[in-house]
């Protein structure tokens, strides 16, 4: 007998099918709930609501499991590279050597952006936050590639839009940094691999040779892999919702960038460093800030702690913490805020407030320490998150379109005024 859920409303019984995923996750399919009962469900923040069926990423918050297309994140971080993981997420399988060479080669051939985009970039003040620039510039790709606006693009046209986006985001990201420091931009060098090319565009300087450090390239590869997808998080849900209206890939990703910018989401990596710097400037007393984080009257939160899904540990945080130690040692950097971060983690993990609420370090807690060690400025940290998350956004947008999902349009429960008549202004 197929499983079902029964709801009794006003004495009447309603039965709804149970959906079971390949990892044995269970859901109640309530598609017929409103038409049969007139009721809807209410779930602020969608904490218990599944928006879709997806074959891209599986995560188990209790077990601290994260798989991309079935492959454990630990293995991919150790053995793969970012372009290969991007192919895996977008096309569903690890590429053959030829497929990877073709994919990587196509990306290299599209790293240049139209020179008119430099005019858009030049219009931003040097104080502009790079995330604002990134979102605007990605959306402006629709102006240079208007064919991308066609919701009925062929597979080949969609693949070209994907290649262009993967290629140009790293150029745009690096150029947004150069804009913020008033330096001339660097053009991509196609003989370099993806991460080396990004570092070249970020840090090469006309007056001296820039030597690419393999330790840094390896760290960037690992960080981008660890950020590449995370099922239906806030920014990915934004990309899917915008895309469900037949908005283009570029418009949908531009919206996702804006969602990621929020300090409760991807903006947390910048907020973590700012918090650690604040603690250091205040004398380094972790316990004082733990107390602030617990005080309901204090808006201070321990940034980089807690997660909607992970309730034991964020597997990415474990890998990044280990990488942070290795990178700082390899680069001979002794960053006092790494010590503060470890003290903060130790204090929080032994404090009942955090233990009871299952608040553990998340992906953002240690990533900023590595980015800082690699010379990446703080307000570029969330741009690095976006660079990593792009293949996930692309894969999710592509899956949503291939699954022919309807336009997303949640319901509500109205709590405002009931009907009343207009009152002329002289009588108010
Ligand atoms: C990312 O969804 C994803 O997958 C996201 C992400 C991805 O890869 O896409 O993993 C990336 O966004 C990681 C999260 C980065 N954000 C931060 O580090 C910001 C700090 N953390 C939070 O604000 C919070 O933990 C969230 C936003 C991450 C999760 O929020 P929830 O699930 O809505 O939990 P909540 O706010 O309801 O908190 C539950 C309780 C509350 O206390 P009580 O009302 O029960 O007394 O825990 C408390 C909260 O006040 N709490 C914290 C806290 N996080 C939660 N208290 C102090 N410090 C914190 N960081």
């Amino acid at each position: 007998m197929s499983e079902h859920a029964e709801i009794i409303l006003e004495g009447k019984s309603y039965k709804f099918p149970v959906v079971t995923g390949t990892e044995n996750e269970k859901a109640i399919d309530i598609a017929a709930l409103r038409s049969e009962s007139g009721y809807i469900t209410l779930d602020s923040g969608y904490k218990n609501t599944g928006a879709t069926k997806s074959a891209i990423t599986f995560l188990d918050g209790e077990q601290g499991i994260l798989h991309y297309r079935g492959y454990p994140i630990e293995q991919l971080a150790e053995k793969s590279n970012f372009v290969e993981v991007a192919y895996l997420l977008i096309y569903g399988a690890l590429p053959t050597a030829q497929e990877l060479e073709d994919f990587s080669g196509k990306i290299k051939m599209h790293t240049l952006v139209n020179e008119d985009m430099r005019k858009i970039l030049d219009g931003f003040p040097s104080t502009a936050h790079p995330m604002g620039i990134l979102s605007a510039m990605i959306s402006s790709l629709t102006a240079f590639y208007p064919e991308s606006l066609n919701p009925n693009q062929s597979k080949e046209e969609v693949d070209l839009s994907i290649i262009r986006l993967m290629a140009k985001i790293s150029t745009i990201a690096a150029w947004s940094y150069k804009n913020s420091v008033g330096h001339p931009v660097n053009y991509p060098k196609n003989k370099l691999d993806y991460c080396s090319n990004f570092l070249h565009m970020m840090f090469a300087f006309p007056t001296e040779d820039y030597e690419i450090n393999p330790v840094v390239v390896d760290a960037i590869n690992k960080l981008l892999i660890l950020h590449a997808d995370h099922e239906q998080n806030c920014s990915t849900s934004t990309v899917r919702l915008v895309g469900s209206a037949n908005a283009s890939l570029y418009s949908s990703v531009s919206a996702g960038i804006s969602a990621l910018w929020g300090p409760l989401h991807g903006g947390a990596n910048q907020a973590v460093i700012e918090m650690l710097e604040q603690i250091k400037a205040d004398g380094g007393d972790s316990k004082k800030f733990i107390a602030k984080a617990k005080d309901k009257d204090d808006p201070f939160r321990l940034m980089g702690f807690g997660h909607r899904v992970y309730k034991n540990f964020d597997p990415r945080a474990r890998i990044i913490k280990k990488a942070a130690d290795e990178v700082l040692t390899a680069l001979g950097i002794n960053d006092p805020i790494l010590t503060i971060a470890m003290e903060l983690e130790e204090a929080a993990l032994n404090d009942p407030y955090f233990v009871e609420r299952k608040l553990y370090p998340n992906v953002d807690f240690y990533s900023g320490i590595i980015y800082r060690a690699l010379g990446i400025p703080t307000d570029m940290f969330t741009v690095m998150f976006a660079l990593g998350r792009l293949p996930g956004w692309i894969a999710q947008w592509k899956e949503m379109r291939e699954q022919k999902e309807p336009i997303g349009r949640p319901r509500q429960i109205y709590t405002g005024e009931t009907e009343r008549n207009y009152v002329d202004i002289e009588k108010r």
Side-chain angles (χ1 to χ4, degrees), residues 153-303:
Q153 282 185 307
S154 68
K155 182 190 176 308
E156 292 68 29
E157 288 168 322
V158 170
D159 286 344
L160 178 54
S161 292
I162 289 170
I163 289 290
R164 280 178 170 145
L165 193 47
M166 282 293 300
K168 299 180 192 302
I169 194 170
S170 62
T171 307
I172 292 167
W175 284 13
S176 69
Y177 165 61
K178 289 299 194 187
N179 179 68
S180 71
V181 291
H183 293 172
V185 298
N186 292 309
Y187 284 84
K189 282 187 175 175
N190 290 339
K191 67 180 183 204
L192 298 173
D193 64 67
Y194 193 88
C195 293
S196 301
N197 208 0
F198 173 70
L199 290 166
H200 155 73
M201 290 189 282
M202 278 285 288
F203 298 121
F205 206 61
T207 54
E208 56 205 55
D209 291 337
Y210 171 68
E211 200 173 310
I212 294 169
N213 184 333
V215 170
V216 176
V217 175
D218 180 57
I220 293 283
N221 251 308
K222 193 166 284 188
L223 283 162
L224 295 182
I225 288 171
L226 292 169
H227 286 81
D229 192 53
H230 215 242
E231 52 132 281
Q232 304 311 313
N233 58 84
C234 177
S235 55
T236 299
S237 299
T238 301
V239 170
R240 286 183 84 118
L241 189 60
V242 171
S244 72
N246 270 352
S248 73
L249 175 61
Y250 302 147
S251 321
S252 305
V253 166
S254 174
I257 292 167
S258 297
L260 186 74
W261 195 359
L264 292 185
H265 188 16
N269 55 20
Q270 173 172 347
V272 166
I273 291 296
E274 288 163 353
M275 172 187 74
L276 294 172
E277 288 287 11
Q278 179 190 3
I279 295 171
K280 181 176 158 232
D282 185 79
D285 178 2
S286 305
K287 290 190 171 30
K288 173 180 171 185
F289 284 84
I290 294 272
K292 281 170 64 66
K294 291 158 61 177
D295 178 356
K296 288 296 171 210
D297 297 327
D298 189 328
F300 177 82
R301 276 203 162 186
L302 216 50
M303 301 312 279

Side-chain angles (χ1 to χ4, degrees), residues 331-359:
L331 297 177
I333 294 171
N334 175 22
D335 188 344
I337 64 164
L338 176 60
T339 310
I340 293 175
M342 289 179 170
E343 285 169 2
L344 207 55
E345 178 184 6
E346 182 66 24
L349 297 186
N350 289 293
D351 184 300
Y353 173 93
F354 290 87
V355 174
E356 284 157 14
R357 290 168 179 78
K358 300 180 181 293
L359 302 177

Side-chain angles (χ1 to χ4, degrees), residues 23 47 53 81 88 106 133 179 196:
E23 289 282 358
K47 295 190 176 186
K53 296 176 187 173
N81 64 68
L88 169 66
K106 284 175 189 164
I133 296 176
N179 179 68
S196 301

Side-chain angles (χ1 to χ4, degrees), residues 1 4-7 12-17 28-29 32 36:
M1 179 186 76
H4 67 266
E6 181 177 15
I7 302 178
K12 191 175 173 193
S13 163
Y14 300 88
K15 291 184 179 173
F16 301 98
I28 301 167
D29 181 343
E36 288 185 9

